Every structure is written in structure tokens, then in C-alpha cells.
Amino acid sequence: MKNIPVVMIIFGGSGDLAHRKLYPALFNLYEQGLIHDNFAVIGTARRPWTNDFLRDQVSDAVHETHSAVNENDLKTFASHFYYQSHDVTNIDHYKTLKSLAQELDDRYSAQGNRIFYMAMAPRFFGTIAEHINDQHLTSTGFNRIVIEKPFGRDLASAEKLNQQITASFTEDDIFRIDHYLGKEMIQNILPLRLTNPLIKNVWNNSTIKNIQVTLAEQLGVEARGGYYETSGALRDMVQNHIFQIITLLAMPEPEDLSSKSIHAAKQELLDSLLIPSEAEIARHFVRGQYLGSDTTFAYRQEANVAADSTTETFVAGEVKFKQGPVAGMPIYFRTGKEMREKKSRIDIVLKHMSNLYGQAHSNNITIVIDPDMQIYITINGQKINEPGIRRENLGYHFAKEEEAQVPDGYERLLRDVFVNDATNFTQWNELKKFWLFIDAVEAAWQKDNQAGQEPAQYLPYRMGPRAASEIFESATERWIYE
Ligand code: BG6
């Protein structure tokens, strides 16, 4: 594999994301030879760590995620890490960072290539972007920036952040991470849709009745109450992950699999995104908030959450497009915390083709994303010795050994950044459309709040509030996964 020379600067080097995801992923890429002798990583954060302390952290992070590690390799790998204590508002710290990056560039022959990774609290993204620009941190080779979500908290703030970033980076050099796009089963959507005539030929609004996307989590907000209060389920999960999944399900067939063609097909679809009216939001959207139990806190009792918070921990709703293969057809989604179990899945619900055998069966194509990985289609036959339809699932389920071979989403996406493949990253034009939709829903909910209408409360470890089963357009629709 081609060795890519680079100095990478991670803002948030002492954080949870760097520890759990970035360091183990970088080690795997190192073992594969994508980065080798010509790379250095500068971890920055406020804490007064030393290089050695960071290197120990990197080793620990790798040990925690790998069962067998070549200790010599790990030691050499960790020796490429440097720590710089950094206050994101202090100009002098950017000057020090710049000279350290230059020094490491010379030492490791990194050819002036830089990757900046924003892995810290989102409220600092704008400030960092500004100082990367005014302190001229970019160099003479390639300069790429990787940015975590959330990218703004509405269209206006996203636009401002985008301006701050584009002062130093072109759109092609901005990698807005959505870790769902690195997931194996999400990357399976297009091959599933496009390669088998049985599936490809039914992927349209005359055969599909609706599509359902469920991203259910069993955990509550845990220690992230402060962040979650500024976000809620709509901004945390729908604005990014759910919209990207829906886009892959509903977009027209791309001309080829290049990043350019994939994004062009996405954009063609998103240009026809229907922004729901207040009446449609009232009818087809539900927001919920979890209650407590003997062993768990209610959302309003969680740390850093207001006692009268109206932040939603659950949302169900509907998305529609004017164009594309499923134009006009409802795409329902729901996501929430403290639901019955962790389950991310997509159900493509097909229309009934015949009433000869009654209406009791439904025919679905299902993609299970997490925690296991499966694709199956329902097929119908007759029951033995009794009337009625026998339903069986035809499909495949990843074996445990196969699951173990699937790279972590972050490893995939980081590799893409190194090799400059933007296919699985969010482009600005896509993001703008997502925000337009989210802003409309948020505005309607603000009005509801003012009218004293709060999120529906739901008991933990259920599938959200009861009202979520009433968002459908017709009485014959229901959640396939109950
Ligand atoms: C993150 C959200 O983007 O995705 C979290 O901020 C959520 O709130 C997480 O828990 C879910 O990701 P996954 O991969 O566990 O389904």
C-alpha cells in the first residue's frame, strides 16, 4: 500500500473519541502501511500532558481494542505522537503549533501535507477554523480538515461555520464525518439496490409502500446531558445519520461509483426534498422524552439537564421527495434513547400484490445495521395442511467471524481522508438541505412549546411514545419492527 506522508493535528487529543476510535484506527492503518515512516501526529488539548504520557495513552487505546498486538510495532507507532498543550483561544498556542508541525514535517519528510482533525467540543470548531486561517497553519502540500458533527445547530450557524472553514480549505478538502457512512451495512445499500433485478425492479414508488428507518438505542444520554440539551434527537441523529441513510435509499442511480457521481445523484434527490408544513409536522411527527424507572433516571433528572427541559430524546417523522425512484412516497424514521434495545434497521415495505390470500402478510426487504448485520426478504408460501400464508425470510446474516473482519467505521473513513476519497462524507450542499428540513421542524416545535405542548413522555425500554404509531399516512401502515 502507498505510504502517505503527513503531519496530522488532532484538536481534542486527550478526548474520548481520539482514545476510543482515532488512535486504534490509526494503528491499523499503520500496520497496513498506509502511514509508516513519514507521519507524525500532534495531539492537542488543554491538559498539561507530555509526549510520553500521550504515547502511553495511544498504547493503552490500541491494547483496549486489539486482542493481539505486535509490541515492537506499537512502540514505533506511538513514537510518532507528540503532545501540545493548547488553549484554542490563545493565538500564541497556534504559533507554537505551527512551528512544531513544521519541525515534525522536516523530521519525518512529510512533504508539507497536513490533516487537521476537529475532535473536540463543537463549540470550538469555529474558533479553531478561524485561527488555522489567521495564523496560517496550512502548509505547502495537501491540507485537509476533518470535522465531527454537529456542523452547526441550524442553517444559519452552519453557514457561519462553513465560511470560517472555507477561508482556509476548499470544499474538496473538507471531510465532514458521518460515522454511519462508514458502517458496513450502510455501504451495502447501493449494491443491494442496484445489482439484483428482483430488487432493482421493485425499487420504485409503484411497488414500495413505504420505507422505515429505525435507529433505536438502549442507553440514555449518560454523561452527555450538557451537549444533548443543545441538540436533542432531531439534531443528534436525524440531521445527519438518518438523512444520509434516507438519501442512499431514495437517490437515483449514480452514473458510476465515483465520489463526484454519488454526490451528484444525492444532490439531484435533495434538490427535490419537500420541507414539511406546520400542519404536516403536527400530523406526521412525534417527539418524546424518557421517564425514569426504579433503576434509571428520567431525562429531566440527568446531570446537566434542565428540570423543565423540552429537549426530545425520541423523534419519529416522515420525509418525502418530489423526484427520484420513490418520489411522493413516505419514508418514515424514528430514533431515540432508552428504547427497548439497540437496533438500527431499515425496512422496505412492499405493497400487497394480491388479495387472494388476505391482507395479513406484508412483504419486506430488511437491512439490519446494528448490532448484528443482516439482509433479508420475506417470501410467502402456503402453510402445510392448513389455510394461510407461510412466511419465511430469505437472506444472509453475517457470521461472527465475518463481523470481526469488518473494519470499524472510523478506520474506513480515516483511510478515505488519507487517500482523498470523499464519497462517504457529507458535502455542504447536502448539509444545507438537511438543515432546512430540521429548522422547519424545530420552528414548529418551538411554537408548540410556547403553546405549552411538550414532548410526549415514554417509559424507558419501550419503542418510544404511543403516539409514534399514529404518524402514518394511511390506516394500513404500521411499524414493521415493533
Ligand atoms: C452519535 C450520537 O452520532 O451516534 C450519539 O451523537 C449516538 O448520541 C451515536 O449514541 C449512535 O451511534 P451508533 O454507531 O452507536 O449507532
Side-chain angles (χ1 to χ4, degrees), residues 6-10 26 40-43 114-117 414 418:
V6 66
V7 173
M8 183 169 180
I9 299 172
I10 301 180
L26 285 170
V41 178
I42 306 174
R114 299 274 191 280
I115 292 176
F116 301 84
Y117 198 119
L414 264 182
F418 283 113

Side-chain angles (χ1 to χ4, degrees), residues 25-44:
L26 285 170
F27 180 65
N28 289 347
L29 297 177
Y30 173 78
E31 288 285 75
Q32 292 155 23
L34 186 71
I35 42 177
H36 218 261
D37 297 332
N38 310 106
F39 86 100
V41 178
I42 306 174
T44 82

Side-chain angles (χ1 to χ4, degrees), residues 170-228:
T170 63
E171 176 66 21
D172 286 349
D173 293 324
I174 304 172
F175 292 78
R176 299 179 193 83
I177 281 232
D178 183 322
H179 78 281
Y180 265 71
L181 290 177
K183 287 189 191 262
E184 182 71 14
M185 299 316 281
I186 301 295
Q187 298 197 349
N188 263 289
I189 293 176
L190 288 186
L192 171 74
R193 268 186 60 181
L194 301 175
T195 56
N196 178 334
L198 284 181
I199 296 180
K200 184 171 168 160
N201 290 333
V202 301
W203 209 276
N204 56 59
N205 53 9
S206 42
T207 316
I208 301 178
K209 183 170 183 170
N210 65 55
I211 292 180
Q212 307 182 359
V213 179
T214 300
L215 302 186
E217 293 186 84
Q218 201 179 39
L219 293 175
V221 296
E222 303 202 291
R224 297 165 75 221
Y227 152 73
Y228 206 80

Side-chain angles (χ1 to χ4, degrees), residues 320-382:
K320 280 183 175 179
F321 299 96
K322 234 188 306 182
Q323 307 279 332
V326 291
M329 199 203 76
I331 303 177
Y332 301 112
F333 65 82
R334 63 191 160 154
T335 181
K337 304 274 187 200
E338 298 233 345
M339 292 177 66
R340 195 178 59 229
E341 58 181 338
K342 170 77 184 172
K343 185 70 83 178
S344 306
R345 59 181 273 162
I346 300 162
D347 295 286
I348 318 296
V349 184
L350 306 180
K351 288 184 180 166
H352 282 283
M353 284 291 122
S354 161
N355 285 332
L356 293 178
Y357 294 89
Q359 287 276 346
H361 58 287
S362 99
N363 302 296
N364 314 317
I365 303 170
T366 296
I367 306 168
V368 183
I369 304 160
D370 269 327
D372 49 346
M373 303 177 188
Q374 296 184 59
I375 296 180
Y376 54 85
I377 304 176
T378 337
I379 49 168
N380 304 315
Q382 69 169 7

